[in-house]
Amino acid sequence: MIKVAKKLNRHIVGSLLIASLLTACVGHDEGAEHDHAHGDDHSHEHHHEDDIPKGPNGGQLIEQDGITFEVKIEEGLAPRFRIWLSDSKGPVNRSETALSLATERFTGAREQFAFVPDETGWIATTAVGEPHSFDVTLSATIGDKNISARYESYEGRTEIAADAARGAGVVSAQVEPGSIAETLTVIGAVRPGIGAQAWVTARFPGVIRSIRKQVGDPVQQGDLIATIDSNLSLSTYEVKSPISGVVIERYLEVGAAVDADPILKIIDPTRLQVELQLFGNEVHRIKVGQTVIMAATHGDESQEGRITRIQPAIDKATQGATAYVALSAPNSEWLAGAAVSAQIILDDTPVTVRVPRSALQKFRDWDVVFIRQGDIFEAQPVVIGRMDLQFAEIISGLVGNEEIVVEQSFLIKADIEKSGAVHDH
């Protein structure tokens, strides 16, 4: 493993583009030191892995009180710590030696490992879990001599100054419980609601003398729309708007003969609804009152609503039905006829731990979030459960009180990978 725990002096230059992974210029101060405080116990030294030489077995060498520890994690299906001990005369007497090792992870989780002797040294009786990123404390009893030493073994970790992280748009938040919604994705279209559209027609046969409104013109109920010379009374009568709204169609022009023909079509844009198409088993999963999150396919705005009614009969041709959702605040994106994509929330299940989907990244073979403690960030593998459009349930890997990166998490991943925080035992 290679530790990445050096002070980083970062100056973000330029702007961050959504389509770019990282357009900032990041500089590393390679000469700075990283200092971990471990209380007032001075009975042992604290070793940095970057400064630890390799031993004859490929492990890390740590010298303390005339004793040399060589520590290695042997990879495999069940990785285990292996330790070799020697002094100035060579390998120590294993029959007079007892070993233990303790790890403390970034989250504060601690684990103790016992060891048994094998052919050349000692091997842990239990496996060590991924990631292999922790502070390690070694303890040895050799005869009547007690020795202890510490070293750092980090991976998937980086340090970024708070102002640099803030300038890059990195946002962190505490993990909390919540709910995960089971959703059904359907399509539909914006249509006029009940009483939201009207045709302006002639009451008696005649010839159109004038038309006062064009397509796109707003009208109020009772506004004068047209005048018609009646064929029956040989007089002129007025045609007025039956509703308030906007003219969306004009069918006739001045001079045209009419006989109960529609002249204009008006829609009230404040009384639109979304008609959702349901097919097959979808029909039986939908109920009045369910929440729907809708987005017009030609706009950026989403809107939440509830199913107000469901078509009570199956269409013979399509074997489908229609569910209706009222639009609470239509605007220019919610025009009659516009296509809509919708998520119907079927169920809302409480979960103990959930994170925004924006917090999740792929790192090595894991799904991870990045835990933050001050200026330090570290990848934390997680097991994902159910997901909805915004959140993911975390089955394991988090306990629910950690502070994690929830925005621009991909920048943290990029910085770790660029810093060289690779898996190297």
Side-chain angles (χ1 to χ4, degrees), residues 217-292:
D217 286 347
V219 297
Q220 296 297 318
Q221 185 177 14
D223 281 357
L224 178 62
I225 299 297
T227 58
I228 298 176
D229 290 334
S230 172
N231 293 339
L232 299 178
S233 64
L234 300 180
S235 62
T236 302
Y237 67 91
E238 296 179 339
V239 178
K240 298 182 179 181
S241 176
I243 64 170
S244 298
V246 177
V247 177
I248 65 165
E249 296 283 355
R250 176 167 165 166
Y251 303 106
L252 297 174
E253 299 297 332
V254 173
V258 293
D259 185 3
D261 301 300
I263 302 170
L264 301 176
K265 183 178 181 181
I266 298 171
I267 282 183
D268 182 352
T270 66
R271 292 193 289 170
L272 298 177
Q273 65 184 10
V274 173
E275 298 182 5
L276 302 176
Q277 302 304 309
L278 311 174
F279 300 98
N281 190 51
E282 296 174 349
V283 177
H284 306 290
R285 305 184 69 188
I286 305 306
K287 298 179 177 60
V288 171
Q290 287 174 330
T291 299
V292 183

Side-chain angles (χ1 to χ4, degrees), residues 52-61 70-72 84 425:
I52 299 175
K54 295 287 187 179
N57 300 293
Q60 308 291 338
L61 289 182
E70 181 177 357
V71 186
K72 182 180 182 180
W84 296 265
H425 298 305

